[in-house]
Amino acid sequence: MNMKKILLIALMLVLFVLTACAKDDASRYRPNDASSFSGSDKELIYTVANPKGLKLFDDYDAVTSLCSDACGEFVRAIKNSDTADFSPYIDNALLRSYMQYRVKNHVYKYSADSKYRYFITEVEFADDYALVEGNLATYSGSSICMEGNVYFLVKNANGKAVINEWYWDSMDSPDVEYRGDFSINNNLDYWNNPSKYDAIVKQLSLTH
C-alpha cells in the first residue's frame, strides 16, 4: 500500500469520527424547556438504543432528559394553573391521573417567572429499568426552593424510555404518608394495580 492510499484512508477515518461526533452533539444539545417540542419530537428525544432494556452508555441522555422534562411539565402546569400533559413521559393512565392530582395539590405555588432544575444525584441502570434520583429545585429571582428527593423508575416501552414510577420523597408527600418508603421492588409495577390507586384516591379524599 503506497503513501497516498494510507493518507486517504486516514483522512476518511478522521472525517467519519468528526461526522459521528457532530451527530451526537446535535442530539445532545437542546433547549432545557421541553415545551418547545411537540409530542412527536419528544418521542424522538426519548428513543432508546434497543427495543428492550436500557443501557447506561447508550440511553443515559434519553433517560435523564425524560425525567428532567417531566419535572418541567409539572412546574409549567402548576405555574399556569393548567392541566398537565404527561403523555410524552408516562404511558400508564393511573400514574398520569395521580400526578395530575399532585399538580393540583402541590404545596408550592410558582410565579410567572419561576424556573426549575432537576438536580440528579444518582443514576442506576439494571437490565429492565433505570432508577434516577435527584432533587427538584425551583427558583424565582433570588428565591430558591429545594423540594425534596424525587425518584423516577424508567422502563423501555417498545424502544422509547417512559416513566414507570414517579415517587416524591418529602415530608408532606402523600407518597411517604400513604405508600410507605420507596423501594425499587415495591414500585416497579405499582401503577399496574388499579386497587392500589383506588386506595390512595380514597385516602386522599378523606384528608382533603
Side-chain angles (χ1 to χ4, degrees):
M1 185 178 292
N2 60 36
M3 185 60 68
K4 287 185 177 179
K5 287 185 178 180
I6 293 173
L7 290 173
L8 179 60
I9 292 172
L11 179 61
M12 290 176 66
L13 286 172
V14 170
L15 290 173
F16 176 78
V17 171
L18 290 175
T19 302
C21 290
K23 288 180 178 178
D24 186 57
D25 287 344
S27 65
R28 182 178 293 115
Y29 296 107
R30 57 188 183 82
N32 189 49
D33 182 8
S35 64
S36 62
F37 293 89
S38 68
S40 59
D41 291 332
K42 290 175 183 178
E43 289 182 7
L44 289 174
I45 292 169
Y46 313 131
T47 299
V48 294
N50 298 300
K52 294 182 180 180
L54 295 166
K55 300 296 182 184
L56 172 62
F57 290 104
D58 294 332
D59 303 321
Y60 180 90
D61 287 347
V63 167
T64 55
S65 295
L66 171 71
C67 299
S68 179
D69 293 348
C71 287
E73 175 61 11
F74 182 85
V75 172
R76 184 206 64 78
I78 295 172
K79 184 166 60 176
N80 295 292
S81 299
D82 193 10
T83 300
D85 178 13
F86 290 122
S87 58
Y89 321 104
I90 302 170
D91 279 353
N92 188 292
L94 293 181
L95 178 53
R96 288 200 304 268
S97 176
Y98 178 66
M99 290 312 302
Q100 182 57 44
Y101 170 86
R102 296 299 312 276
V103 166
K104 290 182 178 179
N105 295 276
H106 194 51
V107 65
Y108 301 107
K109 300 301 179 186
Y110 304 132
S111 62
D113 64 339
S114 291
K115 297 179 176 61
Y116 83 99
R117 284 291 184 273
Y118 179 54
F119 291 103
I120 295 172
T121 56
E122 183 176 347
V123 181
E124 175 186 336
F125 277 76
D127 289 336
D128 61 342
Y129 69 86
L131 169 65
V132 182
E133 180 181 354
N135 196 300
L136 177 63
T138 51
Y139 55 99
S140 176
S142 60
S143 176
I144 299 176
C145 178
M146 303 298 284
E147 300 193 17
N149 288 337
V150 180
Y151 297 88
F152 291 99
L153 280 171
V154 179
K155 283 195 168 185
N156 183 336
N158 300 315
K160 175 191 169 189
V162 297
I163 293 169
N164 195 69
E165 171 66 293
W166 185 340
Y167 185 95
W168 212 281
D169 186 5
S170 59
M171 189 165 39
D172 60 343
S173 166
D175 294 330
V176 172
E177 291 184 37
Y178 302 129
R179 298 174 57 193
D181 293 336
F182 176 84
S183 73
I184 292 173
N185 291 335
N186 291 339
N187 288 269
L188 274 173
D189 297 309
Y190 189 94
W191 297 106
N192 292 333
N193 188 338
S195 65
K196 291 184 177 180
Y197 173 76
D198 293 340
I200 289 178
V201 172
K202 184 177 181 180
Q203 288 175 308
L204 292 171
S205 66
L206 291 174
T207 56
H208 291 80

